[in-house]
Every structure is written in C-alpha cells, then in structure tokens.
Amino acid sequence: VTIQPGLPRYDAVDDLPPLVRAAVEASRAAACEKACTPEAGRLLSVLAAGRARIGETGTGCGVGTAWLASGMSTGATLMTVEHDAAYAAAAAGVLGETAHVIAGDWTEIRAFAPFDLLFCDGGPDKAKPAAILELVAPGGFVVLDDLTPEEQWGQELHAAFPDGDPVRRAWSDRAGVTAVELLVTPTESALLVARR
Ligand SMILES: C[S@@+](CC[C@H](N)C(=O)[O-])C[C@H]1O[C@@H](n2cnc3c(N)ncnc32)[C@H](O)[C@@H]1O
C-alpha cells in the first residue's frame, strides 16, 4: 500500500548518476510521476552489483532502470517491460544500449527469465508471489518498493485493509522465500525477498 509518487522527491536531489538524471528529465517531460524514489533507487543500484541477469516489470520512463544500470557490473544484462508505448519509447531513448526495453505486457519478460534480481514495479499483482517468483532464479532477489510502513497508516488505510497490507502479508507468509522490510525513507519501505 502506497500513498506517495516518487518523482517530486528528485526536486531536492542534485547528486544523481547522469543516466538517472536523464530518466528523471524524461519522466518530467512525459508527466510520469510514478518513479521510484532516489532512496529506493540507491537500494536498486547497490543490489545490482554482481548480478548477471537483471529484470524489471513496469519501466515507467526508466528511472528505476537507470538506477539498476548505474550499479550493475560489466557484462550483466538488464531487461525491462512497460505496457505504455509512450513511456517505453521515452525510456528506450534514455537508456540506449544500456538496457533492453520491451514495449508490451509484463508477461513478455517471461521469455527472458530467470533473473538474478527482479525489480517488480508494475504489471503482476504484487500480492500474488507465485507468478513473480517464476521470473526469479534460485538465490535471486525480488525488490518491491513504495510500501508505507504500517505504523504510519491512518484510519483510512486501516479501514481499507483491516488485516494489514496484503503485499507484506503475501511475501512474509510465503514458503520458499526469505523477506525483509527495509525503511528507505522515514515514510517509505521496500521489501527485499530472496528466493531460496
Ligand atoms: C510505478 S510505475 C514504474 C516506475 C519505474 N519502475 C521507476 O522506478 O521509475 C509502474 C509502471 O508499470 C506499468 N504497468 C502497469 N501495468 C503493466 C503491465 N500489465 N505490463 C507492463 N507494464 C505495466 C505502468 O504503465 C507504469 O509505468
């Protein structure tokens, strides 16, 4: 459960990798506000190091992809899929040879699985891990960002989700994975999941 678009957070940040800066500009030009925050992006960048096959569902205009690219090792591959044709084209324009942008439904990325790191950010239902885990190699990681820590939920969210966040619950109760929730800003957390 989320309550915050990521793009405005870039207004106050100057020290960005050039590719991330370019993707932020493309997102602004396309009025695509749903970018990962700079803090979640840095987490993606850290996790990308040493991973051979990296994937993303829901490219937007490529901000998260650019963070992944900024951390990935030489020789690694980066695939991302976006069903909005205009966003996919904007992302491809920014990312060039760095990543392969598929314009289509998230299921099209299945042909390129399994991934050692998957940023699951649009497409599959995040509260249904099975279809997402099919994209991930044993020992691989899934990252889900943009969660609001339950301690900060207001009455409205508690009323809408009386049993708690369905995404958190689905991953923490799941056999065959180990999940940890990381606070990336005071108001945003990310789930980092290892497929055993
Ligand atoms: C939160 S935004 C992505 C932000 C991006 N990952 C980033 O960090 O900058 C989610 C994206 O998923 C895309 N999306 C939604 N449903 C999809 C689907 N079925 N297949 C592919 N992309 C989808 C939306 O168009 C949107 O651009």
Side-chain angles (χ1 to χ4, degrees):
V1 172
T2 178
I3 50 172
Q4 46 207 341
L7 195 66
R9 289 188 68 86
Y10 287 85
D11 295 348
V13 182
D14 288 328
D15 60 330
L16 292 171
L19 200 59
V20 174
R21 172 62 63 203
V24 167
E25 295 305 335
S27 300
R28 286 182 178 137
C32 173
E33 290 235 311
K34 289 185 180 172
C36 65
T37 60
E39 295 82 359
R42 287 196 192 281
L43 174 65
L44 295 173
S45 189
V46 166
L47 291 170
R51 301 265 145 186
R53 294 159 300 176
I54 302 173
E56 177 187 42
T57 62
T59 319
C61 290
V63 176
T65 329
W67 279 112
L68 289 163
S70 73
M72 76 183 186
S73 304
T74 309
T77 59
L78 176 53
M79 314 284 313
T80 183
V81 61
E82 169 58 53
H83 75 166
D84 181 301
Y87 290 173
V94 166
L95 295 159
E97 301 280 295
T98 316
H100 179 54
V101 182
I102 305 163
D105 188 68
W106 72 272
T107 49
E108 292 190 29
I109 209 170
R110 284 180 177 147
F112 303 93
F115 298 102
D116 304 306
L117 172 64
L118 178 74
F119 178 33
C120 179
D121 201 25
D125 184 342
K126 294 182 184 180
K128 294 193 174 152
I132 297 168
L133 287 168
E134 280 175 12
L135 301 175
V136 181
F141 288 139
V142 182
V143 182
L144 302 139
D145 73 339
D146 212 5
L147 281 81
T148 301
E150 284 189 23
E151 301 74 36
Q152 294 173 23
W153 283 20
Q155 279 180 348
E156 245 174 60
L157 282 179
H158 281 296
F161 303 99
D163 298 325
D165 190 328
V167 174
R168 264 187 198 93
R169 271 212 334 272
W171 289 94
S172 56
D173 293 350
R174 176 93 195 169
V177 303
T178 308
V180 63
E181 185 168 343
L182 304 170
L183 207 57
V184 293
T185 77
T187 56
E188 181 197 356
S189 59
L191 274 184
L192 175 59
V193 182
R195 183 183 161 191
R196 293 200 292 270

